[in-house]
Amino acid sequence: MAGTRPNFMKVSPIISELGRVGASAVLVHTGQHYDQSMSAAFFEDLALHPPHYQLEVGSGTHALQTAKVMERFEPVILAERPRWVVVVGDVNSTLAAALVTAKLRDEVGSRLAHVEAGLRSNDWRMPEEINRVLTDRVSDLLLTPSRDARANLIREGLEADAIVFVGNVMIDSLFSHLDSARQLCVAKSLGVDGPYAVTTLHRPSNVDNRDSLQTVLAGLSRIQETMPVIFPIHPRTRKNIEEFGLNSLVDCITLTEPLGYKAMLSLTDGASIVLTDSGGLQEETSALRIPCVTLREQTERPVTLAQGSNTLVPWPMSALGILETFEKALSTKCDLPPIEGWDGHAARRIVEALLAR
Ligand code: UD1
């Protein structure tokens, strides 16, 4: 099951591996993300099989989106009766499919596996934290991307036997597509030569409030004075910059539409530094050994901090704090150690865990 941009690169290696071992897979796309740039481009780049089911739920409030996925996913599971329902990540589609599966467990005999189990920000203001905790609570198999996740799950009283460390499946996609992404030279095609910074922003806590958005953009425009900043802009963020009248703060920044998977990978791989509130980019920069400044108060990916590629911006956030953290992070060494299980083989371990039960 997949629904949003960051889900597609997580399901793609799992589906390939299921095919390799001769197990059949049915891909359900909830349609939470639906634009060419937020969805179709990823299917093309990842050569992902078109979804067998397209639920077309679209945008809406959290309740509406979650309810629509539940309503439309229920007949799918009743018709398909899969041995496993595999959900990934922490988006509304993840929780909705998890709830449907858990409630039909006895009736249809399907069990629920959560890929990326056990990550915690401990910040209940994040919709993703609610989605993560609840999805893990109803899952039969908790597939963790990093060792720290196990302790979080045990602390919440979940069964130790249900937890299997598999590593980070998003990094499988990264390693598979890095060589072809490198051919694209996206920064050059945007007219940027030499060192540059990449930024992305979409968290409600950063972009739905005028003051927070203004602070982050002011920080980025200070950085732009020393290094070009390339900003592929999420639809939510673009809408709010316009609504809050903050266009002047992004005047000098190179804005682009949201990029496809390979174009974004090319841009990230060539960057001197990334400033972001995305979970996926914190992980990808760790794998690529590129310094990352995380524009959040905390992260559910502490392994990236421990490895040394990732730095949290000082809180409360200020334009000066962002600039100073950027300057310090730029001097991060490149010879950082690999993170255990972020090795391109997570999908193999995921499928082994599914077939073993
Ligand atoms: C969702 C996830 C977030 C994930 C992010 C990646 C939840 C609660 N949040 O946030 O965890 O990191 O996806 O992008 O599930 N929109 C479009 N076209 C699209 C999709 C969205 O224009 O294809 C616009 C709509 O105005 C929509 C807004 O973006 O209302 C937000 O989309 P939504 O799916 O609600 O949440 P994201 O902010 O993308």
Side-chain angles (χ1 to χ4, degrees), residues 12-224:
S12 176
I14 301 173
I15 290 180
S16 300
E17 180 64 14
L18 284 167
R20 200 186 64 78
V21 302
S24 62
V26 173
L27 178 59
V28 180
H29 186 341
T30 67
Q32 178 173 342
H33 286 172
Y34 44 86
D35 280 354
Q36 165 68 27
S37 61
M38 301 288 282
S39 173
F42 287 76
F43 279 79
E44 289 155 23
D45 276 359
L46 296 163
L48 190 51
H49 189 284
H52 300 84
Y53 291 88
Q54 174 56 268
L55 306 185
E56 295 182 342
V57 302
S59 299
T61 64
H62 288 266
L64 212 76
Q65 218 168 39
T66 311
K68 274 190 182 170
V69 175
M70 289 185 72
E71 199 178 11
R72 297 177 190 185
F73 186 60
E74 189 175 56
V76 174
I77 181 171
L78 285 170
E80 295 288 343
R81 297 182 172 261
R83 180 165 154 200
W84 285 104
V85 172
V86 180
V87 294
V88 298
D90 55 17
V91 301
N92 289 340
S93 299
T94 309
L95 173 63
L99 288 175
V100 171
T101 308
K103 293 195 171 190
L104 286 174
R105 184 183 284 116
D106 287 345
E107 190 181 331
V108 305
S110 298
R111 284 174 300 158
L112 178 68
H114 183 206
V115 172
E116 211 179 270
L119 298 189
R120 297 290 182 266
S121 67
N122 299 308
D123 179 356
W124 284 88
R125 292 166 302 179
M126 291 178 75
E128 293 84 358
E129 184 72 357
I130 299 170
N131 295 342
R132 288 181 200 118
V133 172
L134 298 183
T135 300
D136 285 341
R137 185 66 189 82
V138 295
S139 290
D140 300 288
L141 181 57
L142 297 155
L143 299 163
T144 61
S146 49
R147 295 281 182 193
D148 54 291
R150 183 182 184 86
N152 293 333
L153 295 166
I154 297 287
R155 197 177 319 115
E156 289 170 18
L158 299 184
E159 283 287 329
D161 284 353
I163 306 170
V164 179
F165 169 71
V166 291
N168 191 332
V169 74
M170 203 167 195
I171 304 305
D172 291 18
S173 279
L174 183 146
F175 287 145
S176 300
H177 296 283
L178 190 54
D179 285 344
S180 59
R182 281 182 172 152
Q183 318 286 317
L184 298 178
C185 305
V186 170
K188 259 205 188 105
S189 69
L190 293 167
V192 177
D193 257 324
Y196 62 89
V198 170
T199 193
T200 76
L201 281 178
H202 74 282
R203 295 272 163 218
S205 56
N206 278 335
V207 306
D208 285 1
N209 169 287
R210 188 182 190 281
D211 290 346
S212 313
L213 187 54
Q214 185 170 24
T215 301
V216 181
L217 297 180
L220 296 176
S221 53
R222 297 282 298 272
I223 292 169
Q224 169 71 36

Side-chain angles (χ1 to χ4, degrees), residues 257-318:
E257 291 301 310
L259 298 176
Y261 180 67
K262 284 193 204 170
M264 190 64 203
L265 187 51
S266 156
L267 196 64
T268 308
D269 177 59
S272 301
I273 187 163
V274 172
L275 300 106
T276 189
D277 58 13
S278 148
L281 270 171
Q282 292 173 55
E283 298 179 345
E284 288 162 344
T285 47
S286 287
L288 295 167
R289 314 291 199 280
I290 289 170
C292 177
V293 175
T294 293
L295 301 164
R296 286 178 42 194
E297 189 174 2
Q298 75 300 95
T299 176
E300 56 287 320
R301 284 141 169 114
V303 280
T304 60
L305 300 176
Q307 182 220 26
S309 58
N310 193 10
T311 315
L312 289 174
V313 80
W315 210 260
M317 202 154 40
S318 67

